[in-house]
Amino acid sequence: MSNHLKLNNIQELDDLKTLNIKDLNQLFKTGTCPKIESLNGSAKGMVIKPFWFQRLNLWRGKVFNLSPAGELTGLNRLVIGKIETQRYQFNAHIGKSLFSDQDVLIINHNLSANPNWVRRYHDEMVQIDTDLYLATSHYRIGKKLKFVSYFAFDFTKSK
């Protein structure tokens, strides 16, 4: 299957597992900036790459809360054993990617309520289908951002 066909046949989270980093980079570039008002509620999430992080299966998504004033905040969904918990606050806004001229949703974890190691994450998200979103995560070390992972959300599924 050609790359073009592969990228156009993404309809659910599991479809993203078949893509390599080059394909994911291309898909991210062709994604569109999400509308903040469409991001409200619990979204099933999955780490796509790297594979070893995906296999840990600790991170399950995010819960987005849209205020009446249009501010977007939320928490990460984590599973410890068989118990799901919500931890590590974030806020989000539309802005220019730090890596291209693309408008993206920037997910900011640099909040005083979070431990220092969580505050170093910089996530950027685009929409790739009606309820499907692709995001990158980078970790700040000094003044540099190091790629950590690709992850994705599906707003049609909360579990």
PDB file of all heavy atoms in Angstrom, residues 2-36:
ATOM      1  N   SER A   2       0.571   2.204  -0.846  1.00  0.00           N
ATOM      2  CA  SER A   2       1.377   3.421  -0.917  1.00  0.00           C
ATOM      3  C   SER A   2       1.161   4.266   0.335  1.00  0.00           C
ATOM      4  O   SER A   2       0.155   4.129   1.031  1.00  0.00           O
ATOM      5  CB  SER A   2       1.001   4.230  -2.156  1.00  0.00           C
ATOM      6  OG  SER A   2      -0.247   4.861  -1.965  1.00  0.00           O
ATOM      7  N   ASN A   3       2.121   5.151   0.612  1.00  0.00           N
ATOM      8  CA  ASN A   3       1.997   6.044   1.760  1.00  0.00           C
ATOM      9  C   ASN A   3       0.723   6.865   1.692  1.00  0.00           C
ATOM     10  O   ASN A   3       0.048   7.056   2.692  1.00  0.00           O
ATOM     11  CB  ASN A   3       3.204   6.985   1.840  1.00  0.00           C
ATOM     12  CG  ASN A   3       4.364   6.347   2.540  1.00  0.00           C
ATOM     13  OD1 ASN A   3       4.248   5.236   3.047  1.00  0.00           O
ATOM     14  ND2 ASN A   3       5.482   7.028   2.564  1.00  0.00           N
ATOM     15  N   HIS A   4       0.393   7.388   0.490  1.00  0.00           N
ATOM     16  CA  HIS A   4      -0.795   8.212   0.332  1.00  0.00           C
ATOM     17  C   HIS A   4      -2.049   7.436   0.733  1.00  0.00           C
ATOM     18  O   HIS A   4      -2.902   7.944   1.452  1.00  0.00           O
ATOM     19  CB  HIS A   4      -0.892   8.717  -1.113  1.00  0.00           C
ATOM     20  CG  HIS A   4      -2.085   9.580  -1.368  1.00  0.00           C
ATOM     21  ND1 HIS A   4      -2.196  10.838  -0.824  1.00  0.00           N
ATOM     22  CD2 HIS A   4      -3.211   9.353  -2.078  1.00  0.00           C
ATOM     23  CE1 HIS A   4      -3.351  11.365  -1.194  1.00  0.00           C
ATOM     24  NE2 HIS A   4      -3.987  10.482  -1.960  1.00  0.00           N
ATOM     25  N   LEU A   5      -2.154   6.187   0.280  1.00  0.00           N
ATOM     26  CA  LEU A   5      -3.311   5.366   0.634  1.00  0.00           C
ATOM     27  C   LEU A   5      -3.337   5.056   2.124  1.00  0.00           C
ATOM     28  O   LEU A   5      -4.378   5.096   2.755  1.00  0.00           O
ATOM     29  CB  LEU A   5      -3.301   4.059  -0.164  1.00  0.00           C
ATOM     30  CG  LEU A   5      -3.801   4.136  -1.593  1.00  0.00           C
ATOM     31  CD1 LEU A   5      -3.644   2.790  -2.283  1.00  0.00           C
ATOM     32  CD2 LEU A   5      -5.257   4.568  -1.631  1.00  0.00           C
ATOM     33  N   LYS A   6      -2.169   4.747   2.681  1.00  0.00           N
ATOM     34  CA  LYS A   6      -2.089   4.446   4.112  1.00  0.00           C
ATOM     35  C   LYS A   6      -2.585   5.627   4.945  1.00  0.00           C
ATOM     36  O   LYS A   6      -3.368   5.464   5.858  1.00  0.00           O
ATOM     37  CB  LYS A   6      -0.639   4.140   4.513  1.00  0.00           C
ATOM     38  CG  LYS A   6      -0.349   2.695   4.715  1.00  0.00           C
ATOM     39  CD  LYS A   6       0.882   2.443   5.530  1.00  0.00           C
ATOM     40  CE  LYS A   6       2.143   2.819   4.830  1.00  0.00           C
ATOM     41  NZ  LYS A   6       3.348   2.360   5.507  1.00  0.00           N
ATOM     42  N   LEU A   7      -2.117   6.823   4.601  1.00  0.00           N
ATOM     43  CA  LEU A   7      -2.466   8.012   5.378  1.00  0.00           C
ATOM     44  C   LEU A   7      -3.928   8.395   5.212  1.00  0.00           C
ATOM     45  O   LEU A   7      -4.525   8.958   6.108  1.00  0.00           O
ATOM     46  CB  LEU A   7      -1.558   9.188   4.993  1.00  0.00           C
ATOM     47  CG  LEU A   7      -0.070   8.986   5.258  1.00  0.00           C
ATOM     48  CD1 LEU A   7       0.717  10.231   4.887  1.00  0.00           C
ATOM     49  CD2 LEU A   7       0.207   8.611   6.700  1.00  0.00           C
ATOM     50  N   ASN A   8      -4.511   8.061   4.071  1.00  0.00           N
ATOM     51  CA  ASN A   8      -5.921   8.391   3.846  1.00  0.00           C
ATOM     52  C   ASN A   8      -6.872   7.343   4.410  1.00  0.00           C
ATOM     53  O   ASN A   8      -8.077   7.548   4.398  1.00  0.00           O
ATOM     54  CB  ASN A   8      -6.190   8.586   2.349  1.00  0.00           C
ATOM     55  CG  ASN A   8      -5.633   9.898   1.850  1.00  0.00           C
ATOM     56  OD1 ASN A   8      -5.490  10.844   2.619  1.00  0.00           O
ATOM     57  ND2 ASN A   8      -5.296   9.961   0.583  1.00  0.00           N
ATOM     58  N   ASN A   9      -6.360   6.237   4.889  1.00  0.00           N
ATOM     59  CA  ASN A   9      -7.209   5.176   5.430  1.00  0.00           C
ATOM     60  C   ASN A   9      -7.197   5.124   6.951  1.00  0.00           C
ATOM     61  O   ASN A   9      -7.516   4.098   7.535  1.00  0.00           O
ATOM     62  CB  ASN A   9      -6.790   3.815   4.854  1.00  0.00           C
ATOM     63  CG  ASN A   9      -7.260   3.642   3.431  1.00  0.00           C
ATOM     64  OD1 ASN A   9      -8.337   4.107   3.082  1.00  0.00           O
ATOM     65  ND2 ASN A   9      -6.449   2.996   2.610  1.00  0.00           N
ATOM     66  N   ILE A  10      -6.829   6.212   7.583  1.00  0.00           N
ATOM     67  CA  ILE A  10      -6.819   6.276   9.046  1.00  0.00           C
ATOM     68  C   ILE A  10      -8.224   6.639   9.515  1.00  0.00           C
ATOM     69  O   ILE A  10      -8.708   7.739   9.265  1.00  0.00           O
ATOM     70  CB  ILE A  10      -5.792   7.317   9.557  1.00  0.00           C
ATOM     71  CG1 ILE A  10      -4.392   7.004   9.036  1.00  0.00           C
ATOM     72  CG2 ILE A  10      -5.828   7.400  11.078  1.00  0.00           C
ATOM     73  CD1 ILE A  10      -3.841   5.663   9.428  1.00  0.00           C
ATOM     74  N   GLN A  11      -8.881   5.698  10.188  1.00  0.00           N
ATOM     75  CA  GLN A  11     -10.247   5.947  10.651  1.00  0.00           C
ATOM     76  C   GLN A  11     -10.417   5.719  12.137  1.00  0.00           C
ATOM     77  O   GLN A  11     -11.418   6.117  12.713  1.00  0.00           O
ATOM     78  CB  GLN A  11     -11.220   5.067   9.875  1.00  0.00           C
ATOM     79  CG  GLN A  11     -11.231   5.399   8.399  1.00  0.00           C
ATOM     80  CD  GLN A  11     -12.079   4.431   7.591  1.00  0.00           C
ATOM     81  OE1 GLN A  11     -12.616   3.462   8.115  1.00  0.00           O
ATOM     82  NE2 GLN A  11     -12.207   4.714   6.316  1.00  0.00           N
ATOM     83  N   GLU A  12      -9.438   5.063  12.770  1.00  0.00           N
ATOM     84  CA  GLU A  12      -9.512   4.845  14.211  1.00  0.00           C
ATOM     85  C   GLU A  12      -8.101   4.733  14.772  1.00  0.00           C
ATOM     86  O   GLU A  12      -7.124   4.612  14.024  1.00  0.00           O
ATOM     87  CB  GLU A  12     -10.345   3.617  14.540  1.00  0.00           C
ATOM     88  CG  GLU A  12      -9.882   2.336  13.901  1.00  0.00           C
ATOM     89  CD  GLU A  12     -10.830   1.195  14.202  1.00  0.00           C
ATOM     90  OE1 GLU A  12     -12.020   1.298  13.881  1.00  0.00           O
ATOM     91  OE2 GLU A  12     -10.345   0.204  14.775  1.00  0.00           O
ATOM     92  N   LEU A  13      -8.016   4.759  16.089  1.00  0.00           N
ATOM     93  CA  LEU A  13      -6.700   4.776  16.749  1.00  0.00           C
ATOM     94  C   LEU A  13      -5.814   3.618  16.309  1.00  0.00           C
ATOM     95  O   LEU A  13      -4.633   3.805  16.036  1.00  0.00           O
ATOM     96  CB  LEU A  13      -6.868   4.739  18.272  1.00  0.00           C
ATOM     97  CG  LEU A  13      -7.411   5.988  18.937  1.00  0.00           C
ATOM     98  CD1 LEU A  13      -7.558   5.768  20.436  1.00  0.00           C
ATOM     99  CD2 LEU A  13      -6.531   7.184  18.657  1.00  0.00           C
ATOM    100  N   ASP A  14      -6.356   2.423  16.244  1.00  0.00           N
ATOM    101  CA  ASP A  14      -5.539   1.255  15.905  1.00  0.00           C
ATOM    102  C   ASP A  14      -4.899   1.361  14.526  1.00  0.00           C
ATOM    103  O   ASP A  14      -3.841   0.788  14.287  1.00  0.00           O
ATOM    104  CB  ASP A  14      -6.349  -0.035  16.021  1.00  0.00           C
ATOM    105  CG  ASP A  14      -6.524  -0.479  17.466  1.00  0.00           C
ATOM    106  OD1 ASP A  14      -5.729  -0.047  18.328  1.00  0.00           O
ATOM    107  OD2 ASP A  14      -7.463  -1.245  17.739  1.00  0.00           O
ATOM    108  N   ASP A  15      -5.535   2.087  13.599  1.00  0.00           N
ATOM    109  CA  ASP A  15      -4.952   2.271  12.266  1.00  0.00           C
ATOM    110  C   ASP A  15      -3.609   2.992  12.333  1.00  0.00           C
ATOM    111  O   ASP A  15      -2.747   2.797  11.475  1.00  0.00           O
ATOM    112  CB  ASP A  15      -5.895   3.072  11.358  1.00  0.00           C
ATOM    113  CG  ASP A  15      -7.193   2.339  11.064  1.00  0.00           C
ATOM    114  OD1 ASP A  15      -7.228   1.094  11.182  1.00  0.00           O
ATOM    115  OD2 ASP A  15      -8.173   3.028  10.722  1.00  0.00           O
ATOM    116  N   LEU A  16      -3.431   3.825  13.345  1.00  0.00           N
ATOM    117  CA  LEU A  16      -2.193   4.602  13.472  1.00  0.00           C
ATOM    118  C   LEU A  16      -0.995   3.727  13.851  1.00  0.00           C
ATOM    119  O   LEU A  16       0.141   4.079  13.567  1.00  0.00           O
ATOM    120  CB  LEU A  16      -2.371   5.719  14.496  1.00  0.00           C
ATOM    121  CG  LEU A  16      -3.361   6.807  14.081  1.00  0.00           C
ATOM    122  CD1 LEU A  16      -3.758   7.648  15.286  1.00  0.00           C
ATOM    123  CD2 LEU A  16      -2.772   7.676  12.987  1.00  0.00           C
ATOM    124  N   LYS A  17      -1.238   2.587  14.470  1.00  0.00           N
ATOM    125  CA  LYS A  17      -0.152   1.691  14.898  1.00  0.00           C
ATOM    126  C   LYS A  17       0.677   1.188  13.721  1.00  0.00           C
ATOM    127  O   LYS A  17       1.823   0.814  13.894  1.00  0.00           O
ATOM    128  CB  LYS A  17      -0.711   0.494  15.657  1.00  0.00           C
ATOM    129  CG  LYS A  17      -1.268   0.796  17.004  1.00  0.00           C
ATOM    130  CD  LYS A  17      -1.758  -0.521  17.601  1.00  0.00           C
ATOM    131  CE  LYS A  17      -2.428  -0.354  18.920  1.00  0.00           C
ATOM    132  NZ  LYS A  17      -2.908  -1.643  19.444  1.00  0.00           N
ATOM    133  N   THR A  18       0.077   1.144  12.536  1.00  0.00           N
ATOM    134  CA  THR A  18       0.774   0.601  11.366  1.00  0.00           C
ATOM    135  C   THR A  18       1.744   1.606  10.748  1.00  0.00           C
ATOM    136  O   THR A  18       2.534   1.248   9.885  1.00  0.00           O
ATOM    137  CB  THR A  18      -0.233   0.175  10.279  1.00  0.00           C
ATOM    138  OG1 THR A  18      -0.919   1.333   9.795  1.00  0.00           O
ATOM    139  CG2 THR A  18      -1.232  -0.839  10.817  1.00  0.00           C
ATOM    140  N   LEU A  19       1.680   2.853  11.176  1.00  0.00           N
ATOM    141  CA  LEU A  19       2.497   3.907  10.562  1.00  0.00           C
ATOM    142  C   LEU A  19       3.869   4.003  11.219  1.00  0.00           C
ATOM    143  O   LEU A  19       4.001   3.852  12.435  1.00  0.00           O
ATOM    144  CB  LEU A  19       1.785   5.254  10.661  1.00  0.00           C
ATOM    145  CG  LEU A  19       0.405   5.340  10.015  1.00  0.00           C
ATOM    146  CD1 LEU A  19      -0.176   6.740  10.186  1.00  0.00           C
ATOM    147  CD2 LEU A  19       0.451   4.949   8.544  1.00  0.00           C
ATOM    148  N   ASN A  20       4.880   4.300  10.404  1.00  0.00           N
ATOM    149  CA  ASN A  20       6.211   4.558  10.957  1.00  0.00           C
ATOM    150  C   ASN A  20       6.336   6.055  11.272  1.00  0.00           C
ATOM    151  O   ASN A  20       5.415   6.832  10.999  1.00  0.00           O
ATOM    152  CB  ASN A  20       7.304   4.058  10.002  1.00  0.00           C
ATOM    153  CG  ASN A  20       7.242   4.738   8.644  1.00  0.00           C
ATOM    154  OD1 ASN A  20       6.913   5.924   8.519  1.00  0.00           O
ATOM    155  ND2 ASN A  20       7.580   3.996   7.597  1.00  0.00           N
ATOM    156  N   ILE A  21       7.457   6.452  11.818  1.00  0.00           N
ATOM    157  CA  ILE A  21       7.650   7.856  12.212  1.00  0.00           C
ATOM    158  C   ILE A  21       7.530   8.802  11.022  1.00  0.00           C
ATOM    159  O   ILE A  21       6.911   9.865  11.113  1.00  0.00           O
ATOM    160  CB  ILE A  21       9.014   8.046  12.926  1.00  0.00           C
ATOM    161  CG1 ILE A  21       8.999   7.364  14.296  1.00  0.00           C
ATOM    162  CG2 ILE A  21       9.366   9.511  13.076  1.00  0.00           C
ATOM    163  CD1 ILE A  21       8.125   8.014  15.341  1.00  0.00           C
ATOM    164  N   LYS A  22       8.083   8.410   9.883  1.00  0.00           N
ATOM    165  CA  LYS A  22       7.995   9.255   8.687  1.00  0.00           C
ATOM    166  C   LYS A  22       6.535   9.477   8.288  1.00  0.00           C
ATOM    167  O   LYS A  22       6.130  10.598   7.970  1.00  0.00           O
ATOM    168  CB  LYS A  22       8.776   8.604   7.543  1.00  0.00           C
ATOM    169  CG  LYS A  22       8.847   9.435   6.288  1.00  0.00           C
ATOM    170  CD  LYS A  22       9.685   8.744   5.225  1.00  0.00           C
ATOM    171  CE  LYS A  22       9.654   9.540   3.937  1.00  0.00           C
ATOM    172  NZ  LYS A  22      10.369   8.867   2.867  1.00  0.00           N
ATOM    173  N   ASP A  23       5.729   8.400   8.307  1.00  0.00           N
ATOM    174  CA  ASP A  23       4.304   8.513   7.992  1.00  0.00           C
ATOM    175  C   ASP A  23       3.583   9.407   9.008  1.00  0.00           C
ATOM    176  O   ASP A  23       2.739  10.222   8.646  1.00  0.00           O
ATOM    177  CB  ASP A  23       3.624   7.141   7.989  1.00  0.00           C
ATOM    178  CG  ASP A  23       4.081   6.243   6.847  1.00  0.00           C
ATOM    179  OD1 ASP A  23       4.578   6.771   5.826  1.00  0.00           O
ATOM    180  OD2 ASP A  23       3.944   5.015   6.986  1.00  0.00           O
ATOM    181  N   LEU A  24       3.895   9.221  10.282  1.00  0.00           N
ATOM    182  CA  LEU A  24       3.269  10.034  11.324  1.00  0.00           C
ATOM    183  C   LEU A  24       3.630  11.511  11.163  1.00  0.00           C
ATOM    184  O   LEU A  24       2.778  12.384  11.330  1.00  0.00           O
ATOM    185  CB  LEU A  24       3.669   9.519  12.714  1.00  0.00           C
ATOM    186  CG  LEU A  24       3.052   8.180  13.101  1.00  0.00           C
ATOM    187  CD1 LEU A  24       3.766   7.598  14.317  1.00  0.00           C
ATOM    188  CD2 LEU A  24       1.555   8.323  13.361  1.00  0.00           C
ATOM    189  N   ASN A  25       4.902  11.781  10.826  1.00  0.00           N
ATOM    190  CA  ASN A  25       5.313  13.171  10.575  1.00  0.00           C
ATOM    191  C   ASN A  25       4.489  13.775   9.446  1.00  0.00           C
ATOM    192  O   ASN A  25       4.026  14.919   9.544  1.00  0.00           O
ATOM    193  CB  ASN A  25       6.799  13.243  10.211  1.00  0.00           C
ATOM    194  CG  ASN A  25       7.711  12.964  11.384  1.00  0.00           C
ATOM    195  OD1 ASN A  25       7.318  13.045  12.542  1.00  0.00           O
ATOM    196  ND2 ASN A  25       8.943  12.605  11.084  1.00  0.00           N
ATOM    197  N   GLN A  26       4.309  13.013   8.371  1.00  0.00           N
ATOM    198  CA  GLN A  26       3.532  13.496   7.222  1.00  0.00           C
ATOM    199  C   GLN A  26       2.072  13.715   7.598  1.00  0.00           C
ATOM    200  O   GLN A  26       1.472  14.722   7.237  1.00  0.00           O
ATOM    201  CB  GLN A  26       3.653  12.514   6.048  1.00  0.00           C
ATOM    202  CG  GLN A  26       2.953  12.984   4.795  1.00  0.00           C
ATOM    203  CD  GLN A  26       3.527  14.291   4.257  1.00  0.00           C
ATOM    204  OE1 GLN A  26       4.718  14.550   4.317  1.00  0.00           O
ATOM    205  NE2 GLN A  26       2.641  15.132   3.742  1.00  0.00           N
ATOM    206  N   LEU A  27       1.509  12.771   8.325  1.00  0.00           N
ATOM    207  CA  LEU A  27       0.117  12.880   8.744  1.00  0.00           C
ATOM    208  C   LEU A  27      -0.083  14.109   9.635  1.00  0.00           C
ATOM    209  O   LEU A  27      -1.066  14.831   9.495  1.00  0.00           O
ATOM    210  CB  LEU A  27      -0.313  11.603   9.465  1.00  0.00           C
ATOM    211  CG  LEU A  27      -1.783  11.495   9.844  1.00  0.00           C
ATOM    212  CD1 LEU A  27      -2.680  11.599   8.620  1.00  0.00           C
ATOM    213  CD2 LEU A  27      -2.023  10.175  10.576  1.00  0.00           C
ATOM    214  N   PHE A  28       0.865  14.342  10.534  1.00  0.00           N
ATOM    215  CA  PHE A  28       0.778  15.504  11.422  1.00  0.00           C
ATOM    216  C   PHE A  28       0.800  16.800  10.596  1.00  0.00           C
ATOM    217  O   PHE A  28       0.008  17.709  10.848  1.00  0.00           O
ATOM    218  CB  PHE A  28       1.933  15.490  12.434  1.00  0.00           C
ATOM    219  CG  PHE A  28       1.754  16.490  13.536  1.00  0.00           C
ATOM    220  CD1 PHE A  28       1.070  16.147  14.684  1.00  0.00           C
ATOM    221  CD2 PHE A  28       2.269  17.776  13.426  1.00  0.00           C
ATOM    222  CE1 PHE A  28       0.890  17.079  15.716  1.00  0.00           C
ATOM    223  CE2 PHE A  28       2.102  18.704  14.441  1.00  0.00           C
ATOM    224  CZ  PHE A  28       1.410  18.344  15.590  1.00  0.00           C
ATOM    225  N   LYS A  29       1.681  16.874   9.609  1.00  0.00           N
ATOM    226  CA  LYS A  29       1.789  18.070   8.763  1.00  0.00           C
ATOM    227  C   LYS A  29       0.514  18.345   7.985  1.00  0.00           C
ATOM    228  O   LYS A  29       0.198  19.492   7.687  1.00  0.00           O
ATOM    229  CB  LYS A  29       2.957  17.939   7.780  1.00  0.00           C
ATOM    230  CG  LYS A  29       4.304  18.076   8.412  1.00  0.00           C
ATOM    231  CD  LYS A  29       5.397  17.870   7.369  1.00  0.00           C
ATOM    232  CE  LYS A  29       6.746  17.779   8.041  1.00  0.00           C
ATOM    233  NZ  LYS A  29       7.794  17.364   7.112  1.00  0.00           N
ATOM    234  N   THR A  30      -0.211  17.288   7.610  1.00  0.00           N
ATOM    235  CA  THR A  30      -1.437  17.470   6.833  1.00  0.00           C
ATOM    236  C   THR A  30      -2.663  17.642   7.725  1.00  0.00           C
ATOM    237  O   THR A  30      -3.757  17.915   7.225  1.00  0.00           O
ATOM    238  CB  THR A  30      -1.669  16.290   5.864  1.00  0.00           C
ATOM    239  OG1 THR A  30      -1.799  15.094   6.624  1.00  0.00           O
ATOM    240  CG2 THR A  30      -0.537  16.175   4.869  1.00  0.00           C
ATOM    241  N   GLY A  31      -2.483  17.487   9.044  1.00  0.00           N
ATOM    242  CA  GLY A  31      -3.592  17.681   9.976  1.00  0.00           C
ATOM    243  C   GLY A  31      -4.000  19.142  10.048  1.00  0.00           C
ATOM    244  O   GLY A  31      -3.269  20.037   9.621  1.00  0.00           O
ATOM    245  N   THR A  32      -5.178  19.370  10.584  1.00  0.00           N
ATOM    246  CA  THR A  32      -5.679  20.733  10.728  1.00  0.00           C
ATOM    247  C   THR A  32      -5.725  21.123  12.202  1.00  0.00           C
ATOM    248  O   THR A  32      -5.798  20.255  13.078  1.00  0.00           O
ATOM    249  CB  THR A  32      -7.090  20.880  10.125  1.00  0.00           C
ATOM    250  OG1 THR A  32      -7.969  19.966  10.783  1.00  0.00           O
ATOM    251  CG2 THR A  32      -7.081  20.602   8.631  1.00  0.00           C
ATOM    252  N   CYS A  33      -5.701  22.403  12.440  1.00  0.00           N
ATOM    253  CA  CYS A  33      -5.776  22.902  13.809  1.00  0.00           C
ATOM    254  C   CYS A  33      -7.176  22.622  14.364  1.00  0.00           C
ATOM    255  O   CYS A  33      -8.179  22.981  13.737  1.00  0.00           O
ATOM    256  CB  CYS A  33      -5.485  24.399  13.819  1.00  0.00           C
ATOM    257  SG  CYS A  33      -5.390  25.070  15.479  1.00  0.00           S
ATOM    258  N   PRO A  34      -7.270  21.963  15.514  1.00  0.00           N
ATOM    259  CA  PRO A  34      -8.590  21.663  16.071  1.00  0.00           C
ATOM    260  C   PRO A  34      -9.318  22.939  16.505  1.00  0.00           C
ATOM    261  O   PRO A  34      -8.689  23.945  16.834  1.00  0.00           O
ATOM    262  CB  PRO A  34      -8.289  20.804  17.292  1.00  0.00           C
ATOM    263  CG  PRO A  34      -6.846  20.538  17.300  1.00  0.00           C
ATOM    264  CD  PRO A  34      -6.190  21.462  16.339  1.00  0.00           C
ATOM    265  N   LYS A  35     -10.620  22.858  16.529  1.00  0.00           N
ATOM    266  CA  LYS A  35     -11.439  23.938  17.088  1.00  0.00           C
ATOM    267  C   LYS A  35     -11.596  23.646  18.580  1.00  0.00           C
ATOM    268  O   LYS A  35     -12.018  22.550  18.962  1.00  0.00           O
ATOM    269  CB  LYS A  35     -12.795  23.988  16.401  1.00  0.00           C
ATOM    270  CG  LYS A  35     -12.716  24.438  14.958  1.00  0.00           C
ATOM    271  CD  LYS A  35     -14.099  24.441  14.321  1.00  0.00           C
ATOM    272  CE  LYS A  35     -14.119  24.995  12.932  1.00  0.00           C
ATOM    273  NZ  LYS A  35     -13.092  24.591  12.033  1.00  0.00           N
ATOM    274  N   ILE A  36     -11.246  24.610  19.405  1.00  0.00           N
ATOM    275  CA  ILE A  36     -11.286  24.399  20.854  1.00  0.00           C
ATOM    276  C   ILE A  36     -12.670  23.933  21.309  1.00  0.00           C
ATOM    277  O   ILE A  36     -12.785  23.062  22.161  1.00  0.00           O
ATOM    278  CB  ILE A  36     -10.822  25.668  21.601  1.00  0.00           C
ATOM    279  CG1 ILE A  36      -9.304  25.755  21.494  1.00  0.00           C
ATOM    280  CG2 ILE A  36     -11.289  25.677  23.042  1.00  0.00           C
ATOM    281  CD1 ILE A  36      -8.627  26.747  22.355  1.00  0.00           C
TER     282      ILE A  36
END
